[in-house]
Amino acid sequence: MQLGLYFATNRAHEGRDRWHPVRYGRAFSGDGMENLRFGWLTVEVADAEVARCLRRDTGFGAGDGNALAALLAKAAKRARIEAYPESLDPKRAETGQPRAKLGSKAMFADVQRDMLARSDVLAYVHGFNVSWEDAVGAALALQVMFDRDGVGDSTQRTTVVLFSWPSDGLALPFVSYKSDRSEAKGSGYAFARGLLKLRDHLARLADRAGGRACPQDLHLLCHSMGNYVLQNALERLREFTPGTALPRLFDHVFLCAPDVDADVFEPGQPMHDLHQLARAVAVYHNTGDVALHVSDYTKGNPDRLGSHGAARAAALPDKVEQIDCSGLVKGLVEHSYYLDGRINDDILRSIDGVPAADAARTRSRKSGAGVRWDLR
């Protein structure tokens, strides 16, 4: 089986040919931490091994996305990587270079072709302590899980676009976390640069089409410290957005096991206006998330959004829903549960447009303030 994946990264390439690198490493791009390379990669993996992961029961439904991600991360060591070639003077603004060749435009055109073939697109930002191969494995696992038979709308596909930042990937609990936190902040600005390119591209398409250019939707999923990348991207987006509201770029934004402060949505806090970026925002959290407890107590961070959810549910806009996965996960996969079983199914149903209270979701409404659900 051959699997393909779009990607954008501000990691430094490894190998002599920057357009066909061997892989991407732990450092920022040599052209600066906000420099983005856009590309496409392919991996080869045995059909039977993929099928085995999809059949495996996680304890809360079929589909072992974590095992699939590990399998695909191994395959990513032999990936064929093709970056979209660029011709650009880094000392001049892109708007002042009418003959500039941009990788972003080439990738957006290819992604639009996929969308016209009935595929939604989901941008994926990985978390802390993730190597390039692990990032590719997780993104491909998401794509395969979303498109597996018997789950979701059979006429609809989901194309995943990976944004990979130089997460350390060394598994050194104290040193790596501090390093990744700094790199996530800088990478947020790079991610914002990509979002601004997307905003301008969508605006051009809408102008040409006299309205909405494509019937399919764009979504965003951030995992763990990838939510901190998003938090810092919002800061940069505000600087380059006219008016007082952020551009509506996505249908759904999924914040999975978010390693950000529990009060991050409240007025004056870094994500107070995130809801403007999408039609709906979903926070998936787990009280037994060991990784976030470590973030709380050994790194000196306040309570994390990914543990118990928002500090004050009553302060959230109605379009922000919280989904408690604690009763379903039960310690089996504390931090990366979004890849597995019924939790992954629930995310896919949002992508497919299934109403929040639909019986197919196996949810129950939690009492109290805000829009809150328990996954059963």
Side-chain angles (χ1 to χ4, degrees), residues 73-135:
K74 290 181 181 178
K77 294 178 180 179
R78 304 179 300 277
R80 176 180 174 81
I81 303 172
E82 301 179 62
Y84 289 95
E86 292 190 339
S87 177
L88 187 67
D89 182 353
K91 297 180 181 179
R92 298 175 60 192
E94 292 175 8
T95 54
Q97 301 180 65
R99 296 184 180 179
K101 185 177 182 181
L102 299 175
S104 58
K105 286 187 177 180
M107 190 179 83
F108 291 159
D110 285 348
V111 169
Q112 184 188 10
R113 177 201 62 210
D114 288 352
M115 294 181 78
L116 291 172
R118 286 193 61 80
S119 179
D120 274 14
V121 171
L122 180 134
Y124 168 65
V125 186
H126 63 77
F128 155 69
N129 199 32
V130 174
S131 69
W132 163 253
E133 288 79 13
D134 288 341

Short mmCIF file of all heavy atoms in Angstrom, two decimals, residues 73-135:
data_model
loop_
_atom_site.label_atom_id
_atom_site.label_comp_id
_atom_site.label_asym_id
_atom_site.label_seq_id
_atom_site.Cartn_x
_atom_site.Cartn_y
_atom_site.Cartn_z
N ALA A 73 5.23 5.50 11.31
CA ALA A 73 6.45 6.24 11.63
C ALA A 73 7.69 5.44 11.19
O ALA A 73 8.67 6.02 10.71
CB ALA A 73 6.50 6.53 13.13
N LYS A 74 7.64 4.13 11.35
CA LYS A 74 8.75 3.29 10.86
C LYS A 74 8.85 3.37 9.35
O LYS A 74 9.95 3.49 8.78
CB LYS A 74 8.55 1.85 11.30
CG LYS A 74 8.72 1.61 12.80
CD LYS A 74 8.53 0.14 13.14
CE LYS A 74 8.67 -0.09 14.64
NZ LYS A 74 8.43 -1.53 14.98
N ALA A 75 7.70 3.34 8.69
CA ALA A 75 7.69 3.43 7.23
C ALA A 75 8.21 4.79 6.76
O ALA A 75 8.81 4.91 5.69
CB ALA A 75 6.28 3.19 6.70
N ALA A 76 7.99 5.84 7.59
CA ALA A 76 8.41 7.20 7.22
C ALA A 76 9.93 7.35 7.15
O ALA A 76 10.43 8.30 6.53
CB ALA A 76 7.84 8.21 8.22
N LYS A 77 10.67 6.44 7.74
CA LYS A 77 12.13 6.48 7.64
C LYS A 77 12.58 6.23 6.21
O LYS A 77 13.71 6.58 5.84
CB LYS A 77 12.74 5.45 8.57
CG LYS A 77 12.51 5.74 10.05
CD LYS A 77 13.11 4.66 10.94
CE LYS A 77 12.85 4.98 12.41
NZ LYS A 77 13.40 3.93 13.31
N ARG A 78 11.72 5.64 5.41
CA ARG A 78 12.04 5.37 4.00
C ARG A 78 11.15 6.18 3.06
O ARG A 78 10.99 5.83 1.88
CB ARG A 78 11.86 3.87 3.71
CG ARG A 78 12.66 2.97 4.62
CD ARG A 78 12.42 1.50 4.31
NE ARG A 78 11.02 1.12 4.47
CZ ARG A 78 10.46 0.81 5.63
NH1 ARG A 78 11.19 0.84 6.75
NH2 ARG A 78 9.18 0.48 5.69
N ALA A 79 10.58 7.25 3.57
CA ALA A 79 9.64 8.05 2.77
C ALA A 79 10.34 8.73 1.60
O ALA A 79 11.51 9.13 1.69
CB ALA A 79 8.98 9.11 3.65
N ARG A 80 9.60 8.87 0.53
CA ARG A 80 10.06 9.69 -0.60
C ARG A 80 9.47 11.09 -0.41
O ARG A 80 8.25 11.26 -0.40
CB ARG A 80 9.58 9.09 -1.93
CG ARG A 80 9.95 9.95 -3.14
CD ARG A 80 9.45 9.32 -4.43
NE ARG A 80 9.67 10.18 -5.57
CZ ARG A 80 10.81 10.30 -6.23
NH1 ARG A 80 11.86 9.57 -5.86
NH2 ARG A 80 10.93 11.12 -7.25
N ILE A 81 10.34 12.07 -0.23
CA ILE A 81 9.91 13.44 0.08
C ILE A 81 10.18 14.35 -1.11
O ILE A 81 11.29 14.38 -1.64
CB ILE A 81 10.66 13.97 1.33
CG1 ILE A 81 10.44 13.03 2.51
CG2 ILE A 81 10.21 15.39 1.66
CD1 ILE A 81 11.30 13.37 3.72
N GLU A 82 9.17 15.09 -1.49
CA GLU A 82 9.30 16.04 -2.59
C GLU A 82 8.77 17.40 -2.14
O GLU A 82 7.55 17.56 -2.00
CB GLU A 82 8.53 15.55 -3.82
CG GLU A 82 8.98 14.20 -4.35
CD GLU A 82 8.17 13.75 -5.54
OE1 GLU A 82 8.20 14.45 -6.58
OE2 GLU A 82 7.50 12.72 -5.44
N ALA A 83 9.66 18.33 -1.90
CA ALA A 83 9.22 19.69 -1.56
C ALA A 83 8.86 20.43 -2.84
O ALA A 83 9.50 20.24 -3.89
CB ALA A 83 10.34 20.42 -0.82
N TYR A 84 7.83 21.28 -2.76
CA TYR A 84 7.47 22.10 -3.92
C TYR A 84 8.57 23.12 -4.15
O TYR A 84 8.88 23.92 -3.26
CB TYR A 84 6.15 22.81 -3.66
CG TYR A 84 4.94 21.89 -3.68
CD1 TYR A 84 4.44 21.37 -2.50
CD2 TYR A 84 4.29 21.57 -4.87
CE1 TYR A 84 3.32 20.53 -2.50
CE2 TYR A 84 3.18 20.74 -4.88
CZ TYR A 84 2.70 20.22 -3.69
OH TYR A 84 1.60 19.40 -3.70
N PRO A 85 9.17 23.15 -5.34
CA PRO A 85 10.26 24.09 -5.61
C PRO A 85 9.79 25.54 -5.51
O PRO A 85 8.64 25.87 -5.82
CB PRO A 85 10.68 23.76 -7.04
CG PRO A 85 10.18 22.37 -7.29
CD PRO A 85 8.92 22.26 -6.49
N GLU A 86 10.69 26.40 -5.08
CA GLU A 86 10.41 27.83 -4.97
C GLU A 86 11.50 28.64 -5.63
O GLU A 86 12.65 28.22 -5.70
CB GLU A 86 10.29 28.25 -3.50
CG GLU A 86 9.09 27.69 -2.78
CD GLU A 86 8.89 28.32 -1.41
OE1 GLU A 86 9.86 28.88 -0.86
OE2 GLU A 86 7.76 28.28 -0.92
N SER A 87 11.12 29.80 -6.11
CA SER A 87 12.06 30.77 -6.63
C SER A 87 11.68 32.11 -6.04
O SER A 87 10.69 32.72 -6.44
CB SER A 87 12.00 30.82 -8.17
OG SER A 87 12.87 31.82 -8.66
N LEU A 88 12.46 32.55 -5.05
CA LEU A 88 12.04 33.70 -4.25
C LEU A 88 13.26 34.43 -3.71
O LEU A 88 14.22 33.80 -3.24
CB LEU A 88 11.18 33.19 -3.09
CG LEU A 88 10.47 34.20 -2.20
CD1 LEU A 88 9.40 34.94 -2.98
CD2 LEU A 88 9.83 33.48 -1.01
N ASP A 89 13.23 35.75 -3.76
CA ASP A 89 14.28 36.57 -3.16
C ASP A 89 13.90 36.82 -1.70
O ASP A 89 12.95 37.55 -1.42
CB ASP A 89 14.41 37.90 -3.90
CG ASP A 89 15.52 38.79 -3.34
OD1 ASP A 89 16.10 38.43 -2.30
OD2 ASP A 89 15.81 39.84 -3.95
N PRO A 90 14.64 36.22 -0.74
CA PRO A 90 14.25 36.35 0.67
C PRO A 90 14.38 37.76 1.22
O PRO A 90 13.86 38.06 2.29
CB PRO A 90 15.23 35.39 1.38
CG PRO A 90 16.41 35.30 0.47
CD PRO A 90 15.86 35.42 -0.91
N LYS A 91 15.06 38.66 0.48
CA LYS A 91 15.26 40.03 0.95
C LYS A 91 14.13 40.97 0.52
O LYS A 91 14.12 42.12 0.92
CB LYS A 91 16.60 40.57 0.42
CG LYS A 91 17.81 39.79 0.94
CD LYS A 91 19.11 40.37 0.39
CE LYS A 91 20.31 39.59 0.90
NZ LYS A 91 21.58 40.12 0.35
N ARG A 92 13.19 40.44 -0.29
CA ARG A 92 12.08 41.27 -0.76
C ARG A 92 10.75 40.63 -0.40
O ARG A 92 10.64 39.41 -0.31
CB ARG A 92 12.17 41.45 -2.29
CG ARG A 92 13.42 42.16 -2.76
CD ARG A 92 13.48 42.17 -4.27
NE ARG A 92 12.32 42.85 -4.86
CZ ARG A 92 12.00 42.79 -6.15
NH1 ARG A 92 12.76 42.07 -6.99
NH2 ARG A 92 10.95 43.43 -6.62
N ALA A 93 9.74 41.47 -0.21
CA ALA A 93 8.41 40.96 0.09
C ALA A 93 7.86 40.17 -1.09
O ALA A 93 8.15 40.49 -2.25
CB ALA A 93 7.47 42.11 0.42
N GLU A 94 7.06 39.15 -0.79
CA GLU A 94 6.52 38.31 -1.85
C GLU A 94 5.67 39.13 -2.82
O GLU A 94 5.67 38.87 -4.03
CB GLU A 94 5.68 37.18 -1.24
CG GLU A 94 6.51 36.17 -0.47
CD GLU A 94 5.66 35.13 0.23
OE1 GLU A 94 4.44 35.11 -0.01
OE2 GLU A 94 6.20 34.35 1.03
N THR A 95 4.93 40.10 -2.30
CA THR A 95 4.06 40.91 -3.16
C THR A 95 4.85 41.76 -4.15
O THR A 95 4.31 42.21 -5.15
CB THR A 95 3.17 41.83 -2.30
OG1 THR A 95 4.01 42.59 -1.41
CG2 THR A 95 2.18 41.01 -1.49
N GLY A 96 6.13 41.98 -3.86
CA GLY A 96 6.98 42.77 -4.75
C GLY A 96 7.77 41.92 -5.72
O GLY A 96 8.70 42.42 -6.36
N GLN A 97 7.41 40.64 -5.83
CA GLN A 97 8.10 39.73 -6.74
C GLN A 97 7.08 39.05 -7.65
O GLN A 97 6.64 37.93 -7.38
CB GLN A 97 8.88 38.67 -5.94
CG GLN A 97 9.92 39.27 -4.99
CD GLN A 97 10.67 38.20 -4.23
OE1 GLN A 97 11.40 37.40 -4.82
NE2 GLN A 97 10.49 38.17 -2.91
N PRO A 98 6.68 39.72 -8.71
CA PRO A 98 5.61 39.19 -9.57
C PRO A 98 5.96 37.85 -10.21
O PRO A 98 5.06 37.10 -10.58
CB PRO A 98 5.42 40.28 -10.62
CG PRO A 98 6.69 41.07 -10.60
CD PRO A 98 7.18 41.03 -9.19
N ARG A 99 7.24 37.54 -10.35
CA ARG A 99 7.63 36.28 -10.98
C ARG A 99 8.06 35.23 -9.95
O ARG A 99 8.61 34.20 -10.31
CB ARG A 99 8.76 36.52 -11.98
CG ARG A 99 8.35 37.41 -13.15
CD ARG A 99 9.46 37.55 -14.15
NE ARG A 99 9.06 38.40 -15.28
CZ ARG A 99 9.86 38.71 -16.30
NH1 ARG A 99 11.10 38.25 -16.33
NH2 ARG A 99 9.41 39.48 -17.27
N ALA A 100 7.82 35.49 -8.70
CA ALA A 100 8.20 34.54 -7.65
C ALA A 100 7.41 33.25 -7.81
O ALA A 100 6.23 33.25 -8.17
CB ALA A 100 7.94 35.15 -6.28
N LYS A 101 8.08 32.13 -7.54
CA LYS A 101 7.45 30.82 -7.57
C LYS A 101 7.31 30.35 -6.13
O LYS A 101 8.32 30.21 -5.42
CB LYS A 101 8.31 29.85 -8.37
CG LYS A 101 7.69 28.47 -8.57
CD LYS A 101 8.59 27.61 -9.44
CE LYS A 101 7.98 26.24 -9.69
NZ LYS A 101 8.87 25.39 -10.52
N LEU A 102 6.07 30.16 -5.67
CA LEU A 102 5.83 29.85 -4.27
C LEU A 102 5.33 28.42 -4.11
O LEU A 102 4.38 28.00 -4.78
CB LEU A 102 4.78 30.81 -3.69
CG LEU A 102 5.15 32.30 -3.70
CD1 LEU A 102 3.97 33.12 -3.20
CD2 LEU A 102 6.39 32.55 -2.86
N GLY A 103 5.96 27.70 -3.17
CA GLY A 103 5.53 26.34 -2.88
C GLY A 103 4.13 26.28 -2.32
O GLY A 103 3.38 25.33 -2.57
N SER A 104 3.77 27.30 -1.54
CA SER A 104 2.43 27.32 -0.93
C SER A 104 1.35 27.34 -2.00
O SER A 104 0.35 26.62 -1.90
CB SER A 104 2.29 28.54 -0.01
OG SER A 104 2.51 29.75 -0.72
N LYS A 105 1.52 28.16 -3.04
CA LYS A 105 0.50 28.23 -4.09
C LYS A 105 0.36 26.89 -4.81
O LYS A 105 -0.75 26.46 -5.13
CB LYS A 105 0.86 29.33 -5.09
CG LYS A 105 0.63 30.74 -4.58
CD LYS A 105 0.85 31.76 -5.68
CE LYS A 105 0.55 33.16 -5.19
NZ LYS A 105 0.75 34.18 -6.26
N ALA A 106 1.49 26.24 -5.06
CA ALA A 106 1.45 24.95 -5.74
C ALA A 106 0.73 23.91 -4.89
O ALA A 106 -0.10 23.14 -5.40
CB ALA A 106 2.87 24.48 -6.06
N MET A 107 1.01 23.89 -3.59
CA MET A 107 0.35 22.91 -2.72
C MET A 107 -1.14 23.22 -2.57
O MET A 107 -1.98 22.31 -2.62
CB MET A 107 1.00 22.84 -1.35
CG MET A 107 0.49 21.66 -0.52
SD MET A 107 1.23 21.48 1.11
CE MET A 107 0.23 22.67 2.02
N PHE A 108 -1.49 24.49 -2.39
CA PHE A 108 -2.89 24.86 -2.26
C PHE A 108 -3.68 24.44 -3.50
O PHE A 108 -4.84 24.02 -3.40
CB PHE A 108 -3.05 26.36 -2.02
CG PHE A 108 -2.55 26.83 -0.68
CD1 PHE A 108 -2.22 28.16 -0.49
CD2 PHE A 108 -2.42 25.96 0.39
CE1 PHE A 108 -1.77 28.62 0.75
CE2 PHE A 108 -1.96 26.40 1.62
CZ PHE A 108 -1.64 27.73 1.80
N ALA A 109 -3.07 24.56 -4.67
CA ALA A 109 -3.75 24.17 -5.90
C ALA A 109 -4.00 22.67 -5.92
O ALA A 109 -5.09 22.21 -6.31
CB ALA A 109 -2.91 24.58 -7.11
N ASP A 110 -3.01 21.89 -5.47
CA ASP A 110 -3.18 20.44 -5.43
C ASP A 110 -4.23 20.04 -4.38
O ASP A 110 -5.04 19.13 -4.60
CB ASP A 110 -1.85 19.75 -5.12
CG ASP A 110 -0.91 19.74 -6.30
OD1 ASP A 110 -1.35 20.05 -7.43
OD2 ASP A 110 0.28 19.43 -6.11
N VAL A 111 -4.21 20.71 -3.23
CA VAL A 111 -5.20 20.42 -2.19
C VAL A 111 -6.61 20.76 -2.68
O VAL A 111 -7.57 20.02 -2.42
CB VAL A 111 -4.85 21.18 -0.89
CG1 VAL A 111 -6.00 21.10 0.11
CG2 VAL A 111 -3.57 20.64 -0.27
N GLN A 112 -6.73 21.87 -3.39
CA GLN A 112 -8.04 22.25 -3.93
C GLN A 112 -8.56 21.19 -4.90
O GLN A 112 -9.75 20.86 -4.91
CB GLN A 112 -7.96 23.60 -4.63
CG GLN A 112 -9.33 24.08 -5.13
CD GLN A 112 -9.24 25.32 -6.00
OE1 GLN A 112 -8.14 25.73 -6.38
NE2 GLN A 112 -10.36 25.92 -6.31
N ARG A 113 -7.67 20.62 -5.68
CA ARG A 113 -8.07 19.53 -6.60
C ARG A 113 -8.65 18.36 -5.81
O ARG A 113 -9.66 17.78 -6.18
CB ARG A 113 -6.84 19.08 -7.39
CG ARG A 113 -7.09 17.90 -8.34
CD ARG A 113 -5.77 17.22 -8.67
NE ARG A 113 -5.16 16.66 -7.47
CZ ARG A 113 -3.85 16.53 -7.29
NH1 ARG A 113 -3.00 16.93 -8.22
NH2 ARG A 113 -3.38 15.99 -6.17
N ASP A 114 -8.02 18.02 -4.69
CA ASP A 114 -8.54 16.93 -3.85
C ASP A 114 -9.90 17.29 -3.26
O ASP A 114 -10.79 16.44 -3.16
CB ASP A 114 -7.55 16.62 -2.72
CG ASP A 114 -6.29 15.94 -3.21
OD1 ASP A 114 -6.24 15.57 -4.40
OD2 ASP A 114 -5.35 15.79 -2.40
N MET A 115 -10.06 18.55 -2.86
CA MET A 115 -11.33 18.97 -2.28
C MET A 115 -12.46 18.88 -3.30
O MET A 115 -13.59 18.49 -2.97
CB MET A 115 -11.22 20.38 -1.72
CG MET A 115 -10.27 20.51 -0.54
SD MET A 115 -10.17 22.18 0.14
CE MET A 115 -11.70 22.26 1.10
N LEU A 116 -12.18 19.23 -4.52
CA LEU A 116 -13.20 19.15 -5.57
C LEU A 116 -13.59 17.71 -5.87
O LEU A 116 -14.65 17.46 -6.45
CB LEU A 116 -12.69 19.84 -6.85
CG LEU A 116 -12.54 21.37 -6.75
CD1 LEU A 116 -11.85 21.93 -7.97
CD2 LEU A 116 -13.91 22.03 -6.54
N ALA A 117 -12.73 16.76 -5.44
CA ALA A 117 -13.04 15.34 -5.59
C ALA A 117 -13.69 14.80 -4.31
O ALA A 117 -13.51 13.64 -3.97
CB ALA A 117 -11.77 14.56 -5.92
N ARG A 118 -14.42 15.65 -3.57
CA ARG A 118 -15.16 15.30 -2.36
C ARG A 118 -14.25 14.88 -1.22
O ARG A 118 -14.41 13.82 -0.61
CB ARG A 118 -16.20 14.20 -2.63
CG ARG A 118 -17.40 14.70 -3.40
CD ARG A 118 -18.54 13.70 -3.37
NE ARG A 118 -19.01 13.41 -2.01
CZ ARG A 118 -19.83 14.20 -1.32
NH1 ARG A 118 -20.25 15.34 -1.86
NH2 ARG A 118 -20.23 13.86 -0.12
N SER A 119 -13.31 15.73 -0.91
CA SER A 119 -12.47 15.49 0.25
C SER A 119 -12.41 16.75 1.09
O SER A 119 -12.04 17.82 0.61
CB SER A 119 -11.04 15.09 -0.18
OG SER A 119 -10.23 14.89 0.95
N ASP A 120 -12.81 16.63 2.37
CA ASP A 120 -12.52 17.69 3.32
C ASP A 120 -11.01 17.67 3.60
O ASP A 120 -10.33 16.68 3.34
CB ASP A 120 -13.27 17.47 4.64
CG ASP A 120 -14.68 18.05 4.59
OD1 ASP A 120 -15.16 18.36 3.49
OD2 ASP A 120 -15.31 18.16 5.66
N VAL A 121 -10.50 18.77 4.15
CA VAL A 121 -9.08 18.86 4.47
C VAL A 121 -8.93 19.19 5.95
O VAL A 121 -9.62 20.08 6.47
CB VAL A 121 -8.38 19.94 3.60
CG1 VAL A 121 -6.96 20.19 4.08
CG2 VAL A 121 -8.37 19.50 2.14
N LEU A 122 -8.04 18.48 6.61
CA LEU A 122 -7.77 18.72 8.02
C LEU A 122 -6.28 19.03 8.20
O LEU A 122 -5.42 18.21 7.87
CB LEU A 122 -8.15 17.50 8.88
CG LEU A 122 -7.89 17.66 10.38
CD1 LEU A 122 -9.10 17.20 11.20
CD2 LEU A 122 -6.66 16.87 10.82
N ALA A 123 -5.99 20.24 8.70
CA ALA A 123 -4.61 20.59 9.05
C ALA A 123 -4.31 20.03 10.44
O ALA A 123 -5.14 20.14 11.35
CB ALA A 123 -4.44 22.11 9.05
N TYR A 124 -3.14 19.42 10.60
CA TYR A 124 -2.79 18.74 11.84
C TYR A 124 -1.48 19.29 12.39
O TYR A 124 -0.48 19.37 11.67
CB TYR A 124 -2.66 17.24 11.57
CG TYR A 124 -2.02 16.45 12.70
CD1 TYR A 124 -2.65 16.33 13.94
CD2 TYR A 124 -0.80 15.82 12.52
CE1 TYR A 124 -2.07 15.61 14.96
CE2 TYR A 124 -0.21 15.10 13.54
CZ TYR A 124 -0.85 15.00 14.76
OH TYR A 124 -0.27 14.28 15.78
N VAL A 125 -1.50 19.68 13.67
CA VAL A 125 -0.30 20.19 14.35
C VAL A 125 0.00 19.25 15.52
O VAL A 125 -0.82 19.11 16.44
CB VAL A 125 -0.50 21.63 14.88
CG1 VAL A 125 0.81 22.16 15.45
CG2 VAL A 125 -1.00 22.55 13.76
N HIS A 126 1.16 18.62 15.48
CA HIS A 126 1.53 17.64 16.52
C HIS A 126 2.03 18.33 17.79
O HIS A 126 2.19 19.55 17.84
CB HIS A 126 2.58 16.66 15.98
CG HIS A 126 3.87 17.33 15.61
ND1 HIS A 126 4.81 17.73 16.53
CD2 HIS A 126 4.39 17.67 14.39
CE1 HIS A 126 5.84 18.27 15.92
NE2 HIS A 126 5.61 18.26 14.62
N GLY A 127 2.33 17.52 18.78
CA GLY A 127 2.72 18.05 20.08
C GLY A 127 4.18 17.92 20.43
O GLY A 127 5.06 17.86 19.56
N PHE A 128 4.42 17.82 21.73
CA PHE A 128 5.74 17.81 22.35
C PHE A 128 6.46 16.48 22.11
O PHE A 128 5.86 15.42 22.06
CB PHE A 128 5.53 18.06 23.85
CG PHE A 128 6.60 17.54 24.77
CD1 PHE A 128 7.86 18.10 24.78
CD2 PHE A 128 6.32 16.50 25.64
CE1 PHE A 128 8.83 17.63 25.65
CE2 PHE A 128 7.26 16.02 26.52
CZ PHE A 128 8.54 16.59 26.52
N ASN A 129 7.81 16.56 21.97
CA ASN A 129 8.67 15.39 21.94
C ASN A 129 8.34 14.46 20.77
O ASN A 129 8.20 13.24 20.93
CB ASN A 129 8.55 14.62 23.27
CG ASN A 129 9.73 13.69 23.50
OD1 ASN A 129 10.84 13.96 23.08
ND2 ASN A 129 9.46 12.58 24.16
N VAL A 130 8.22 15.04 19.59
CA VAL A 130 7.82 14.30 18.40
C VAL A 130 8.86 14.50 17.30
O VAL A 130 9.15 15.63 16.89
CB VAL A 130 6.43 14.78 17.89
CG1 VAL A 130 6.07 14.13 16.57
CG2 VAL A 130 5.36 14.47 18.94
N SER A 131 9.44 13.42 16.83
CA SER A 131 10.39 13.50 15.73
C SER A 131 9.64 13.69 14.42
O SER A 131 8.41 13.56 14.34
CB SER A 131 11.21 12.20 15.67
OG SER A 131 10.38 11.12 15.27
N TRP A 132 10.39 13.97 13.36
CA TRP A 132 9.80 14.12 12.03
C TRP A 132 9.03 12.85 11.64
O TRP A 132 7.88 12.92 11.21
CB TRP A 132 10.88 14.43 11.00
CG TRP A 132 10.47 14.21 9.57
CD1 TRP A 132 10.85 13.21 8.74
CD2 TRP A 132 9.56 15.02 8.81
NE1 TRP A 132 10.25 13.33 7.51
CE2 TRP A 132 9.46 14.44 7.53
CE3 TRP A 132 8.83 16.18 9.08
CZ2 TRP A 132 8.65 14.97 6.52
CZ3 TRP A 132 8.01 16.71 8.08
CH2 TRP A 132 7.93 16.11 6.82
N GLU A 133 9.66 11.69 11.83
CA GLU A 133 9.00 10.44 11.46
C GLU A 133 7.75 10.19 12.29
O GLU A 133 6.73 9.71 11.77
CB GLU A 133 9.98 9.27 11.60
CG GLU A 133 11.07 9.22 10.55
CD GLU A 133 12.23 10.19 10.83
OE1 GLU A 133 12.30 10.73 11.96
OE2 GLU A 133 13.04 10.42 9.92
N ASP A 134 7.81 10.50 13.59
CA ASP A 134 6.63 10.32 14.43
C ASP A 134 5.49 11.24 13.99
O ASP A 134 4.31 10.86 14.03
CB ASP A 134 6.97 10.61 15.89
CG ASP A 134 7.83 9.53 16.52
OD1 ASP A 134 7.87 8.40 15.97
OD2 ASP A 134 8.48 9.80 17.54
N ALA A 135 5.84 12.47 13.59
CA ALA A 135 4.82 13.42 13.12
C ALA A 135 4.15 12.90 11.85
O ALA A 135 2.92 12.95 11.71
CB ALA A 135 5.46 14.78 12.86
#
